[in-house]
Short mmCIF file of all heavy atoms in Angstrom, two decimals:
data_model
loop_
_atom_site.label_atom_id
_atom_site.label_comp_id
_atom_site.label_asym_id
_atom_site.label_seq_id
_atom_site.Cartn_x
_atom_site.Cartn_y
_atom_site.Cartn_z
N MET A 4 0.84 -1.18 0.01
CA MET A 4 0.00 -0.01 0.00
C MET A 4 0.88 1.24 0.00
O MET A 4 1.91 1.27 0.63
CB MET A 4 -0.90 -0.01 1.22
CG MET A 4 -1.78 1.21 1.37
SD MET A 4 -2.91 1.01 2.74
CE MET A 4 -4.24 1.98 2.13
N THR A 5 0.43 2.26 -0.70
CA THR A 5 1.15 3.52 -0.72
C THR A 5 0.37 4.50 0.14
O THR A 5 -0.86 4.56 0.09
CB THR A 5 1.22 4.08 -2.14
OG1 THR A 5 1.93 3.11 -2.94
CG2 THR A 5 1.94 5.38 -2.20
N TYR A 6 1.08 5.25 0.99
CA TYR A 6 0.46 6.20 1.90
C TYR A 6 0.74 7.61 1.43
O TYR A 6 1.85 7.92 1.01
CB TYR A 6 0.99 6.01 3.31
CG TYR A 6 0.69 4.60 3.84
CD1 TYR A 6 1.68 3.64 3.82
CD2 TYR A 6 -0.55 4.27 4.33
CE1 TYR A 6 1.42 2.34 4.27
CE2 TYR A 6 -0.82 2.99 4.78
CZ TYR A 6 0.18 2.04 4.76
OH TYR A 6 -0.08 0.78 5.20
N ARG A 7 -0.26 8.49 1.55
CA ARG A 7 -0.04 9.86 1.15
C ARG A 7 0.73 10.62 2.24
O ARG A 7 0.72 10.26 3.42
CB ARG A 7 -1.38 10.56 0.89
CG ARG A 7 -2.23 10.70 2.12
CD ARG A 7 -3.52 11.49 1.83
NE ARG A 7 -4.37 11.49 2.98
CZ ARG A 7 -4.22 12.23 4.06
NH1 ARG A 7 -3.18 13.02 4.17
NH2 ARG A 7 -5.05 12.14 5.06
N GLU A 8 1.42 11.67 1.81
CA GLU A 8 2.18 12.51 2.75
C GLU A 8 1.19 13.09 3.77
O GLU A 8 0.12 13.55 3.43
CB GLU A 8 2.84 13.62 1.98
CG GLU A 8 3.78 14.46 2.84
CD GLU A 8 4.52 15.49 2.02
OE1 GLU A 8 4.89 15.21 0.89
OE2 GLU A 8 4.68 16.60 2.55
N GLY A 9 1.57 13.01 5.04
CA GLY A 9 0.74 13.55 6.12
C GLY A 9 -0.15 12.50 6.78
O GLY A 9 -0.78 12.79 7.79
N ALA A 10 -0.21 11.28 6.20
CA ALA A 10 -1.05 10.24 6.79
C ALA A 10 -0.44 9.75 8.10
O ALA A 10 0.79 9.70 8.27
CB ALA A 10 -1.20 9.08 5.82
N TYR A 11 -1.28 9.36 9.03
CA TYR A 11 -0.85 8.80 10.32
C TYR A 11 -0.85 7.28 10.17
O TYR A 11 -1.88 6.69 9.84
CB TYR A 11 -1.77 9.21 11.46
CG TYR A 11 -1.69 10.71 11.74
CD1 TYR A 11 -2.62 11.59 11.22
CD2 TYR A 11 -0.66 11.25 12.51
CE1 TYR A 11 -2.58 12.94 11.47
CE2 TYR A 11 -0.59 12.58 12.77
CZ TYR A 11 -1.55 13.45 12.25
OH TYR A 11 -1.46 14.77 12.50
N VAL A 12 0.28 6.69 10.39
CA VAL A 12 0.41 5.23 10.24
C VAL A 12 0.96 4.61 11.52
O VAL A 12 1.66 5.28 12.29
CB VAL A 12 1.30 4.84 9.05
CG1 VAL A 12 0.68 5.28 7.72
CG2 VAL A 12 2.70 5.39 9.18
N TRP A 13 0.65 3.34 11.72
CA TRP A 13 1.19 2.56 12.84
C TRP A 13 2.38 1.79 12.30
O TRP A 13 2.26 1.04 11.34
CB TRP A 13 0.15 1.64 13.40
CG TRP A 13 0.66 0.80 14.52
CD1 TRP A 13 1.06 -0.51 14.47
CD2 TRP A 13 0.86 1.21 15.87
NE1 TRP A 13 1.47 -0.93 15.69
CE2 TRP A 13 1.37 0.10 16.57
CE3 TRP A 13 0.66 2.43 16.55
CZ2 TRP A 13 1.67 0.17 17.95
CZ3 TRP A 13 0.98 2.46 17.89
CH2 TRP A 13 1.47 1.34 18.59
N ASP A 14 3.54 1.99 12.92
CA ASP A 14 4.77 1.27 12.56
C ASP A 14 4.87 0.06 13.52
O ASP A 14 5.16 0.23 14.68
CB ASP A 14 5.97 2.19 12.70
CG ASP A 14 7.27 1.54 12.33
OD1 ASP A 14 7.31 0.30 12.09
OD2 ASP A 14 8.29 2.24 12.28
N GLU A 15 4.61 -1.12 12.96
CA GLU A 15 4.66 -2.35 13.78
C GLU A 15 6.04 -2.59 14.36
O GLU A 15 6.16 -3.08 15.50
CB GLU A 15 4.26 -3.57 12.92
CG GLU A 15 2.82 -3.56 12.45
CD GLU A 15 1.83 -3.87 13.54
OE1 GLU A 15 2.20 -4.35 14.63
OE2 GLU A 15 0.62 -3.61 13.32
N ALA A 16 7.08 -2.23 13.65
CA ALA A 16 8.47 -2.50 14.10
C ALA A 16 8.81 -1.67 15.34
O ALA A 16 9.52 -2.12 16.23
CB ALA A 16 9.47 -2.22 12.98
N ARG A 17 8.29 -0.45 15.40
CA ARG A 17 8.57 0.46 16.53
C ARG A 17 7.42 0.58 17.50
O ARG A 17 7.55 1.22 18.54
CB ARG A 17 8.94 1.84 16.03
CG ARG A 17 10.26 1.92 15.36
CD ARG A 17 10.60 3.36 15.07
NE ARG A 17 11.94 3.43 14.52
CZ ARG A 17 12.81 4.39 14.85
NH1 ARG A 17 12.49 5.30 15.69
NH2 ARG A 17 13.99 4.38 14.28
N ALA A 18 6.29 -0.01 17.16
CA ALA A 18 5.07 0.06 17.97
C ALA A 18 4.74 1.52 18.31
O ALA A 18 4.53 1.88 19.46
CB ALA A 18 5.21 -0.79 19.24
N THR A 19 4.69 2.34 17.24
CA THR A 19 4.38 3.74 17.45
C THR A 19 3.73 4.34 16.20
O THR A 19 3.81 3.78 15.13
CB THR A 19 5.67 4.55 17.80
OG1 THR A 19 5.32 5.84 18.23
CG2 THR A 19 6.60 4.63 16.61
N VAL A 20 3.03 5.46 16.41
CA VAL A 20 2.43 6.19 15.31
C VAL A 20 3.46 7.14 14.69
O VAL A 20 4.22 7.78 15.42
CB VAL A 20 1.21 7.02 15.79
CG1 VAL A 20 0.64 7.90 14.68
CG2 VAL A 20 0.14 6.11 16.35
N GLY A 21 3.47 7.18 13.38
CA GLY A 21 4.34 8.12 12.68
C GLY A 21 3.56 8.88 11.60
O GLY A 21 2.48 8.41 11.19
N VAL A 22 4.09 9.99 11.18
CA VAL A 22 3.47 10.79 10.12
C VAL A 22 4.30 10.55 8.86
O VAL A 22 5.53 10.70 8.88
CB VAL A 22 3.48 12.30 10.48
CG1 VAL A 22 2.84 13.12 9.37
CG2 VAL A 22 2.81 12.52 11.81
N VAL A 23 3.65 10.20 7.78
CA VAL A 23 4.34 9.94 6.51
C VAL A 23 4.88 11.26 5.97
O VAL A 23 4.15 12.23 5.78
CB VAL A 23 3.39 9.29 5.48
CG1 VAL A 23 4.09 9.11 4.14
CG2 VAL A 23 2.90 7.94 6.01
N MET A 24 6.19 11.27 5.70
CA MET A 24 6.85 12.42 5.13
C MET A 24 7.19 12.23 3.66
O MET A 24 7.13 13.15 2.88
CB MET A 24 8.14 12.73 5.90
CG MET A 24 7.91 12.96 7.41
SD MET A 24 6.68 14.23 7.77
CE MET A 24 7.52 15.68 7.21
N ASP A 25 7.58 11.01 3.30
CA ASP A 25 8.06 10.74 1.93
C ASP A 25 8.22 9.22 1.78
O ASP A 25 8.11 8.48 2.74
CB ASP A 25 9.41 11.43 1.74
CG ASP A 25 9.81 11.55 0.29
OD1 ASP A 25 9.03 11.22 -0.62
OD2 ASP A 25 10.96 12.00 0.02
N GLU A 26 8.44 8.83 0.56
CA GLU A 26 8.77 7.43 0.29
C GLU A 26 9.95 7.41 -0.66
O GLU A 26 9.93 8.07 -1.70
CB GLU A 26 7.58 6.69 -0.33
CG GLU A 26 7.86 5.23 -0.48
CD GLU A 26 6.60 4.45 -0.85
OE1 GLU A 26 5.50 5.00 -0.82
OE2 GLU A 26 6.78 3.27 -1.20
N ARG A 27 10.99 6.71 -0.28
CA ARG A 27 12.22 6.63 -1.08
C ARG A 27 12.80 5.23 -1.04
O ARG A 27 12.86 4.61 0.00
CB ARG A 27 13.30 7.56 -0.51
CG ARG A 27 12.95 8.99 -0.44
CD ARG A 27 14.11 9.77 0.14
NE ARG A 27 13.54 10.79 1.02
CZ ARG A 27 14.14 11.29 2.04
NH1 ARG A 27 15.33 10.93 2.37
NH2 ARG A 27 13.56 12.22 2.75
N TRP A 28 13.25 4.81 -2.21
CA TRP A 28 13.98 3.54 -2.31
C TRP A 28 13.22 2.40 -1.65
O TRP A 28 13.81 1.52 -1.02
CB TRP A 28 15.38 3.66 -1.72
CG TRP A 28 16.15 4.81 -2.28
CD1 TRP A 28 16.61 4.92 -3.56
CD2 TRP A 28 16.48 6.01 -1.62
NE1 TRP A 28 17.22 6.14 -3.72
CE2 TRP A 28 17.17 6.82 -2.54
CE3 TRP A 28 16.28 6.50 -0.32
CZ2 TRP A 28 17.66 8.08 -2.23
CZ3 TRP A 28 16.78 7.73 0.00
CH2 TRP A 28 17.45 8.53 -0.95
N GLY A 29 11.91 2.42 -1.77
CA GLY A 29 11.11 1.31 -1.22
C GLY A 29 10.82 1.39 0.26
O GLY A 29 10.25 0.51 0.83
N GLU A 30 11.28 2.47 0.90
CA GLU A 30 11.02 2.67 2.34
C GLU A 30 10.21 3.93 2.52
O GLU A 30 10.31 4.88 1.75
CB GLU A 30 12.33 2.76 3.12
CG GLU A 30 13.11 1.47 3.14
CD GLU A 30 14.28 1.55 4.10
OE1 GLU A 30 14.80 2.64 4.35
OE2 GLU A 30 14.72 0.49 4.56
N VAL A 31 9.43 3.96 3.59
CA VAL A 31 8.63 5.12 3.92
C VAL A 31 9.36 5.90 5.01
O VAL A 31 9.80 5.33 6.00
CB VAL A 31 7.21 4.71 4.39
CG1 VAL A 31 6.36 5.89 4.73
CG2 VAL A 31 6.55 3.84 3.31
N GLN A 32 9.46 7.23 4.81
CA GLN A 32 10.09 8.09 5.77
C GLN A 32 9.01 8.62 6.70
O GLN A 32 8.02 9.21 6.26
CB GLN A 32 10.78 9.28 5.11
CG GLN A 32 11.74 8.87 4.00
CD GLN A 32 12.80 7.95 4.47
OE1 GLN A 32 13.48 8.20 5.44
NE2 GLN A 32 12.95 6.82 3.77
N LEU A 33 9.18 8.38 8.03
CA LEU A 33 8.18 8.80 9.03
C LEU A 33 8.81 9.77 10.02
O LEU A 33 10.01 9.78 10.22
CB LEU A 33 7.72 7.57 9.82
CG LEU A 33 7.06 6.45 9.00
CD1 LEU A 33 6.78 5.26 9.90
CD2 LEU A 33 5.81 6.93 8.31
N ARG A 34 7.98 10.59 10.59
CA ARG A 34 8.37 11.52 11.64
C ARG A 34 7.42 11.34 12.80
O ARG A 34 6.25 11.09 12.64
CB ARG A 34 8.30 12.96 11.11
CG ARG A 34 8.65 14.00 12.17
CD ARG A 34 8.90 15.32 11.58
NE ARG A 34 10.21 15.25 10.92
CZ ARG A 34 10.70 16.18 10.14
NH1 ARG A 34 10.01 17.24 9.86
NH2 ARG A 34 11.87 16.05 9.59
N PRO A 35 7.95 11.47 14.03
CA PRO A 35 7.05 11.36 15.19
C PRO A 35 5.96 12.43 15.18
O PRO A 35 6.18 13.53 14.66
CB PRO A 35 7.98 11.58 16.39
CG PRO A 35 9.36 11.41 15.89
CD PRO A 35 9.31 11.74 14.44
N VAL A 36 4.81 12.11 15.74
CA VAL A 36 3.76 13.11 15.91
C VAL A 36 4.30 14.22 16.77
O VAL A 36 4.93 13.99 17.80
CB VAL A 36 2.50 12.46 16.58
CG1 VAL A 36 1.47 13.52 16.92
CG2 VAL A 36 1.93 11.37 15.70
N GLY A 37 4.15 15.45 16.33
CA GLY A 37 4.68 16.58 17.08
C GLY A 37 6.07 16.99 16.67
O GLY A 37 6.64 17.96 17.16
N GLY A 38 6.68 16.23 15.74
CA GLY A 38 8.01 16.58 15.21
C GLY A 38 9.10 15.73 15.84
O GLY A 38 8.87 14.98 16.78
N GLY A 39 10.26 15.85 15.27
CA GLY A 39 11.41 15.07 15.75
C GLY A 39 12.17 14.47 14.59
O GLY A 39 11.96 14.81 13.43
N THR A 40 13.04 13.56 14.90
CA THR A 40 13.92 12.95 13.92
C THR A 40 13.18 11.88 13.11
O THR A 40 12.51 11.01 13.68
CB THR A 40 15.13 12.26 14.62
OG1 THR A 40 15.80 13.26 15.39
CG2 THR A 40 16.11 11.68 13.61
N GLU A 41 13.30 11.97 11.80
CA GLU A 41 12.66 11.00 10.91
C GLU A 41 13.32 9.65 11.01
O GLU A 41 14.50 9.54 11.37
CB GLU A 41 12.73 11.48 9.46
CG GLU A 41 11.85 12.66 9.15
CD GLU A 41 11.85 13.02 7.68
OE1 GLU A 41 12.29 12.20 6.84
OE2 GLU A 41 11.39 14.15 7.40
N TRP A 42 12.54 8.62 10.69
CA TRP A 42 13.09 7.27 10.58
C TRP A 42 12.49 6.61 9.35
O TRP A 42 11.50 7.04 8.80
CB TRP A 42 12.86 6.45 11.85
CG TRP A 42 11.46 5.96 12.07
CD1 TRP A 42 10.94 4.76 11.66
CD2 TRP A 42 10.38 6.61 12.75
NE1 TRP A 42 9.63 4.63 12.06
CE2 TRP A 42 9.26 5.76 12.74
CE3 TRP A 42 10.28 7.85 13.38
CZ2 TRP A 42 8.06 6.11 13.30
CZ3 TRP A 42 9.07 8.18 13.97
CH2 TRP A 42 7.99 7.32 13.95
N SER A 43 13.15 5.54 8.91
CA SER A 43 12.69 4.79 7.73
C SER A 43 11.99 3.55 8.20
O SER A 43 12.39 2.91 9.18
CB SER A 43 13.88 4.38 6.88
OG SER A 43 14.53 5.51 6.35
N ALA A 44 10.93 3.20 7.50
CA ALA A 44 10.18 1.98 7.82
C ALA A 44 9.87 1.21 6.56
O ALA A 44 9.68 1.81 5.49
CB ALA A 44 8.88 2.34 8.54
N GLN A 45 9.84 -0.09 6.65
CA GLN A 45 9.43 -0.93 5.54
C GLN A 45 7.92 -0.80 5.35
O GLN A 45 7.18 -0.81 6.34
CB GLN A 45 9.79 -2.40 5.82
CG GLN A 45 11.29 -2.63 5.93
CD GLN A 45 11.98 -2.42 4.60
OE1 GLN A 45 11.47 -2.83 3.57
NE2 GLN A 45 13.13 -1.80 4.63
N ARG A 46 7.48 -0.66 4.12
CA ARG A 46 6.06 -0.51 3.83
C ARG A 46 5.24 -1.65 4.41
O ARG A 46 4.12 -1.43 4.89
CB ARG A 46 5.88 -0.45 2.32
CG ARG A 46 4.69 0.33 1.91
CD ARG A 46 4.60 0.50 0.43
NE ARG A 46 5.88 0.53 -0.23
CZ ARG A 46 6.08 0.34 -1.50
NH1 ARG A 46 5.07 0.14 -2.29
NH2 ARG A 46 7.28 0.37 -2.02
N ARG A 47 5.77 -2.87 4.39
CA ARG A 47 4.99 -4.02 4.87
C ARG A 47 4.80 -3.98 6.38
O ARG A 47 3.96 -4.73 6.89
CB ARG A 47 5.66 -5.32 4.45
CG ARG A 47 7.01 -5.58 5.09
CD ARG A 47 7.62 -6.88 4.60
NE ARG A 47 8.95 -7.07 5.12
CZ ARG A 47 10.05 -6.65 4.51
NH1 ARG A 47 9.96 -6.02 3.36
NH2 ARG A 47 11.24 -6.85 5.03
N ALA A 48 5.54 -3.14 7.11
CA ALA A 48 5.40 -3.05 8.57
C ALA A 48 4.43 -1.91 8.96
O ALA A 48 4.28 -1.65 10.14
CB ALA A 48 6.76 -2.81 9.19
N LEU A 49 3.79 -1.30 7.98
CA LEU A 49 2.93 -0.15 8.27
C LEU A 49 1.47 -0.46 7.97
O LEU A 49 1.16 -1.28 7.11
CB LEU A 49 3.35 1.06 7.42
CG LEU A 49 4.77 1.56 7.58
CD1 LEU A 49 5.02 2.69 6.60
CD2 LEU A 49 5.03 1.98 9.01
N ARG A 50 0.58 0.25 8.67
CA ARG A 50 -0.84 0.23 8.38
C ARG A 50 -1.38 1.58 8.87
O ARG A 50 -0.71 2.26 9.65
CB ARG A 50 -1.56 -0.93 9.08
CG ARG A 50 -1.48 -0.89 10.59
CD ARG A 50 -2.39 -1.91 11.21
NE ARG A 50 -2.15 -2.06 12.64
CZ ARG A 50 -2.50 -1.15 13.56
NH1 ARG A 50 -3.10 -0.05 13.22
NH2 ARG A 50 -2.22 -1.37 14.84
N LEU A 51 -2.54 1.95 8.40
CA LEU A 51 -3.13 3.20 8.88
C LEU A 51 -3.41 3.10 10.39
O LEU A 51 -3.83 2.07 10.87
CB LEU A 51 -4.44 3.50 8.14
CG LEU A 51 -4.30 3.90 6.69
CD1 LEU A 51 -5.66 4.01 6.04
CD2 LEU A 51 -3.51 5.18 6.55
N ALA A 52 -3.09 4.16 11.10
CA ALA A 52 -3.30 4.17 12.55
C ALA A 52 -4.80 4.26 12.84
O ALA A 52 -5.56 4.93 12.15
CB ALA A 52 -2.59 5.37 13.18
N THR A 53 -5.20 3.58 13.92
CA THR A 53 -6.60 3.65 14.35
C THR A 53 -6.85 4.96 15.09
O THR A 53 -5.91 5.66 15.48
CB THR A 53 -6.93 2.48 15.32
OG1 THR A 53 -6.19 2.64 16.51
CG2 THR A 53 -6.63 1.11 14.68
N ARG A 54 -8.13 5.28 15.29
CA ARG A 54 -8.48 6.47 16.03
C ARG A 54 -7.87 6.44 17.44
O ARG A 54 -7.32 7.45 17.91
CB ARG A 54 -10.00 6.61 16.14
CG ARG A 54 -10.44 7.81 16.91
CD ARG A 54 -11.92 7.94 16.95
NE ARG A 54 -12.35 8.26 15.60
CZ ARG A 54 -13.61 8.50 15.25
NH1 ARG A 54 -14.55 8.43 16.15
NH2 ARG A 54 -13.92 8.80 14.02
N ASP A 55 -7.93 5.30 18.12
CA ASP A 55 -7.37 5.17 19.46
C ASP A 55 -5.87 5.38 19.47
O ASP A 55 -5.30 6.02 20.37
CB ASP A 55 -7.71 3.83 20.08
CG ASP A 55 -9.17 3.69 20.46
OD1 ASP A 55 -9.86 4.73 20.57
OD2 ASP A 55 -9.63 2.54 20.63
N GLU A 56 -5.18 4.85 18.48
CA GLU A 56 -3.70 5.01 18.38
C GLU A 56 -3.35 6.46 18.16
O GLU A 56 -2.41 6.98 18.75
CB GLU A 56 -3.13 4.10 17.30
CG GLU A 56 -3.20 2.64 17.63
CD GLU A 56 -2.99 1.72 16.46
OE1 GLU A 56 -3.10 2.18 15.27
OE2 GLU A 56 -2.80 0.52 16.68
N LYS A 57 -4.11 7.13 17.27
CA LYS A 57 -3.84 8.55 17.01
C LYS A 57 -4.09 9.42 18.26
O LYS A 57 -3.28 10.27 18.58
CB LYS A 57 -4.65 9.05 15.85
CG LYS A 57 -4.20 8.47 14.51
CD LYS A 57 -4.90 9.13 13.34
CE LYS A 57 -6.27 8.59 13.13
NZ LYS A 57 -6.91 9.10 11.89
N THR A 58 -5.17 9.10 18.95
CA THR A 58 -5.47 9.85 20.18
C THR A 58 -4.37 9.65 21.22
O THR A 58 -3.93 10.61 21.83
CB THR A 58 -6.83 9.39 20.76
OG1 THR A 58 -7.85 9.66 19.78
CG2 THR A 58 -7.16 10.15 22.03
N ALA A 59 -3.92 8.41 21.40
CA ALA A 59 -2.85 8.13 22.36
C ALA A 59 -1.55 8.84 21.98
O ALA A 59 -0.77 9.18 22.89
CB ALA A 59 -2.64 6.62 22.46
N ALA A 60 -1.33 9.06 20.70
CA ALA A 60 -0.11 9.72 20.24
C ALA A 60 -0.22 11.24 20.32
O ALA A 60 0.74 11.94 20.04
CB ALA A 60 0.19 9.31 18.82
N GLY A 61 -1.40 11.75 20.68
CA GLY A 61 -1.57 13.19 20.82
C GLY A 61 -2.13 13.89 19.60
O GLY A 61 -2.09 15.11 19.54
N VAL A 62 -2.72 13.13 18.71
CA VAL A 62 -3.32 13.73 17.51
C VAL A 62 -4.77 14.10 17.87
O VAL A 62 -5.51 13.27 18.44
CB VAL A 62 -3.34 12.73 16.33
CG1 VAL A 62 -4.05 13.31 15.13
CG2 VAL A 62 -1.90 12.30 15.98
N ALA A 63 -5.18 15.32 17.55
CA ALA A 63 -6.55 15.74 17.75
C ALA A 63 -7.43 14.99 16.76
O ALA A 63 -7.24 15.08 15.55
CB ALA A 63 -6.71 17.23 17.58
N VAL A 64 -8.40 14.26 17.25
CA VAL A 64 -9.26 13.41 16.42
C VAL A 64 -10.68 13.96 16.50
O VAL A 64 -11.18 14.23 17.57
CB VAL A 64 -9.23 11.94 16.88
CG1 VAL A 64 -10.15 11.09 16.04
CG2 VAL A 64 -7.82 11.38 16.81
N ASP A 65 -11.31 14.11 15.33
CA ASP A 65 -12.69 14.58 15.28
C ASP A 65 -13.60 13.45 15.73
O ASP A 65 -13.71 12.42 15.06
CB ASP A 65 -13.04 14.99 13.84
CG ASP A 65 -14.44 15.55 13.72
OD1 ASP A 65 -15.13 15.70 14.73
OD2 ASP A 65 -14.87 15.80 12.57
N THR A 66 -14.26 13.64 16.86
CA THR A 66 -15.14 12.61 17.39
C THR A 66 -16.61 12.91 17.13
O THR A 66 -17.47 12.22 17.62
CB THR A 66 -14.96 12.46 18.93
OG1 THR A 66 -15.22 13.76 19.54
CG2 THR A 66 -13.55 12.00 19.26
N SER A 67 -16.89 13.93 16.33
CA SER A 67 -18.28 14.29 16.05
C SER A 67 -18.93 13.39 15.01
O SER A 67 -20.11 13.47 14.77
CB SER A 67 -18.34 15.75 15.57
OG SER A 67 -17.67 15.90 14.33
N VAL A 68 -18.15 12.53 14.37
CA VAL A 68 -18.69 11.65 13.33
C VAL A 68 -19.21 10.40 13.92
O VAL A 68 -18.72 9.83 14.81
CB VAL A 68 -17.59 11.33 12.27
CG1 VAL A 68 -18.15 10.42 11.21
CG2 VAL A 68 -17.09 12.61 11.70
#
């Protein structure tokens, strides 16, 4: 799966939510929620983050839906 820039994903290898910054050489570049040092992740180790995971990571989630 290809993720758009800015998407919140769950990195299984690090057990954390990251923000998609770019994709290069078959790896996805992620940054921690709130900023910080980017890291590379294998695409197969990623999935879209759930609402609960995003909330736990400090992402403001629209709960009106």
Side-chain angles (χ1 to χ4, degrees):
M4 177 174 211
T5 300
Y6 300 100
R7 65 176 174 76
E8 186 176 323
Y11 293 98
V12 296
W13 179 259
D14 181 352
E15 294 286 346
R17 289 188 176 221
T19 191
V20 174
V22 181
V23 175
M24 303 305 292
D25 196 6
E26 186 170 350
R27 300 180 219 153
W28 308 291
E30 293 188 334
V31 180
Q32 308 303 309
L33 302 174
R34 178 165 286 170
V36 173
T40 304
E41 289 185 16
W42 74 91
S43 297
Q45 296 293 318
R46 208 174 331 163
R47 66 180 174 270
L49 302 176
R50 62 170 170 73
L51 290 175
T53 66
R54 179 178 292 184
D55 288 342
E56 290 164 345
K57 290 189 280 187
T58 300
V62 176
V64 178
D65 183 5
T66 59
S67 64
V68 178

